[in-house]
Structures are given as structure tokens and as C-alpha cells.
């Protein structure tokens, strides 16, 4: 994701829930679903001329020894070859666009690794550690046709609850175990995360820039 006043790109999936990629508090839309934090780096020139083509480099490092369930780690592209992403950008021209001024503008970039923990609808994805719905003993663990784990817990009062742990997750409990409320029932599968950074970009007059070079 990259965004400033004049251009913005962010996933279509996020656009369905957020009309603006950046909230008033500065948080980018992706952070609402990708809850884990993973730092990124952004490099861009400090100043550009109108109509100039410049490059913005976004570095998205991650642990190549771990594989996340059902995802290439850097969004829709293979992570091993794309930990450093370069975006060519054309600077807008104030002489052709009255909304563009010779000022300093912020540029924001966000990078996802892997899938999010929450869907825009608010539901959890399978990129989570699922906690026990109540304290008690696990009386039964069965597998559904979709390979989900159905875990039944009986508390000290005899109340029985059942909950599903999605397909692909590795359980940390077994039948007969005694668990606490909200105790993790599976290994946390998430190895990704979201990070955002910002830089300032100064739009300069071509004549002023030339004078500075001559001086």
C-alpha cells in the first residue's frame, strides 16, 4: 500500500470496508485486519521536480524459514523474491493540476506479510490462536468433514460447550486435558504482520532547482 494526496493504492478487499486507506489517526486500513506488527522500511528522494519519474523502495523483511498457512507471505506475490519492492512514481505537475502545490507532502507506505487475523466483517480468520470458551475438561475432540476440530469442554457444573478450531491449525490439547478459560487450544499459526512508515517529499520549482545546481 502506498498513499499520498494525489495517488493511492490499497487492496480491493480493504476498499470494500474502508473508503479511505488512511484514518484520521494516521493508521492505514490494513492494520485493522492484520493485527500483528512487523516493521517495514521506505526509501524515497527528499525532493522531486514536476513530471519527474522517481523510485520508492519499500523493504518488507520476514523470516524465510517459516511458512504461513494458505498464503504467500508478502501479499499476492512470492515473499522470497520480493522483500525489496520498487515502485516507479510520476510526480504531478502544479502547472497542469491546480490541486498540486509546490509544498512538502507526506508519503505513506504499508506492507503486509501473510493473511490477516480478522476479516473486514469482524470475523476471525484461521490465522489466530483460539482460546477455550470456558474452563473445564476436554471430553471429546472430533474432526468434521471440512477437517475442522470440534472440541467439547465440560465445566465443574456440568455445562457443556463445543467450539470449532479451523482447518490447518495444530492443536496443543487432547481429550482429557483440563483447560482454563481462554487458554490457547492451538499453536499460533501467524508468522506475518503489518507495518507502516512515512516519508516527506518536497515538490520543487524547476527554475529554483536549476539555480541551486548552478550555484
Amino acid at each position: 500500500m502506498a498513499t499520498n494526496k494525489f495517488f493511492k493504492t490499497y487492496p480491493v478487499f480493504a476498499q470494500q470496508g474502508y473508503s479511505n486507506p488512511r484514518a484520521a489517526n494516521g493508521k492505514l486500513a490494513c492494520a485493522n485486519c492484520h493485527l500483528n506488527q512487523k516493521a517495514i522500511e521506505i526509501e524515497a528522494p527528499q525532493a522531486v521536480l514536476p513530471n519527474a519519474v522517481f523510485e520508492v523502495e519499500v523493504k518488507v523483511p520476514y523470516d524465510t524459514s517459516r511458512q504461513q498457512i494458505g498464503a504467500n507471505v508478502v501479499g499476492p506475490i512470492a515473499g522470497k523474491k520480493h522483500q525489496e519492492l520498487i515502485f516507479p512514481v510520476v510526480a504531478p505537475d502544479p502547472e497542469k493540476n491546480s490541486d498540486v502545490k509546490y509544498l512538502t507532502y507526506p508519503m505513506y507506505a504499508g506492507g503486509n506479510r501473510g493473511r490477516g487475523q480478522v476479516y473486514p466483517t469482524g470475523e476471525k480468520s484461521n490465522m489466530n490462536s483460539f482460546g477455550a470458551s470456558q474452563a473445564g475438561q476436554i471430553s471429546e475432540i472430533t474432526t468434521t468433514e471440512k477437517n475442522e476440530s470440534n472440541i467439547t469442554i465440560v465445566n465443574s457444573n456440568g455445562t457443556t460447550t463445543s467450539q470449532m478450531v479451523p482447518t490447518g491449525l495444530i492443536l496443543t490439547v487432547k481429550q482429557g486435558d483440563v483447560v482454563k478459560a481462554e487458554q490457547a487450544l492451538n499453536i499460533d499459526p501467524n508468522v506475518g504482520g503489518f507495518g507502516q512508515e512515512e516519508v516527506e517529499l518536497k515538490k520543487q520549482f524547476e527554475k529554483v532547482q536549476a539555480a541551486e545546481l548552478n550555484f
Side-chain angles (χ1 to χ4, degrees):
M1 172 193 291
T3 176
N4 69 8
K5 183 178 179 181
F6 306 107
F7 68 94
K8 59 185 180 182
T9 57
Y10 63 115
V12 174
F13 197 48
Q15 292 180 31
Q16 296 173 359
Y18 305 95
S19 59
N20 193 315
R22 183 173 179 268
N25 62 4
K27 184 171 70 172
L28 298 180
C30 295
N32 294 305
C33 296
H34 297 261
L35 305 183
N36 279 21
Q37 296 183 357
K38 295 280 187 179
I40 68 165
E41 299 177 25
I42 177 173
E43 295 181 3
Q46 294 182 339
V48 296
L49 297 174
N51 289 322
V53 178
F54 62 96
E55 291 184 344
V56 177
E57 181 178 6
V58 179
K59 297 180 180 180
V60 191
Y62 75 98
D63 185 356
T64 57
S65 67
R66 300 180 65 190
Q67 178 65 43
Q68 184 160 270
I69 298 173
N72 291 318
V73 180
V74 183
I77 56 177
K80 290 183 179 180
K81 298 181 180 179
H82 299 90
Q83 294 192 49
E84 296 183 2
L85 309 172
I86 297 177
F87 301 92
V89 182
V90 179
D93 189 348
E95 303 300 325
K96 298 178 180 179
N97 186 343
S98 60
D99 291 331
V100 181
K101 308 298 180 184
Y102 288 103
L103 299 171
T104 298
Y105 294 97
M107 179 180 294
Y108 310 93
N112 289 329
R113 275 140 293 190
R115 293 169 50 222
Q117 289 70 56
V118 181
Y119 294 115
T121 57
E123 299 174 339
K124 279 187 175 183
S125 73
N126 65 344
M127 289 295 105
N128 284 281
S129 176
F130 289 80
S133 57
Q134 67 173 357
Q137 186 174 35
I138 297 176
S139 62
E140 187 179 30
I141 299 178
T142 59
T143 303
T144 69
E145 293 181 356
K146 296 180 179 180
N147 288 322
E148 300 168 312
S149 296
N150 187 2
I151 300 176
T152 302
I153 302 174
V154 182
N155 69 12
S156 58
N157 296 323
T159 302
T160 299
T161 60
S162 295
Q163 64 186 103
M164 292 289 186
V165 174
T167 302
L169 299 181
I170 300 173
L171 298 182
T172 57
V173 295
K174 62 183 183 300
Q175 185 173 331
D177 284 355
V178 175
V179 296
K180 299 178 181 178
E182 297 302 324
Q183 178 179 328
L185 301 175
N186 63 283
I187 296 174
D188 188 349
N190 186 55
V191 299
F194 173 76
Q196 72 176 70
E197 289 291 340
E198 65 179 83
V199 294
E200 288 190 339
L201 187 66
K202 184 178 181 181
K203 184 164 292 298
Q204 295 192 0
F205 286 102
E206 188 169 3
K207 292 181 179 179
V208 173
Q209 179 72 1
E212 290 177 354
L213 291 175
N214 290 333
F215 180 78

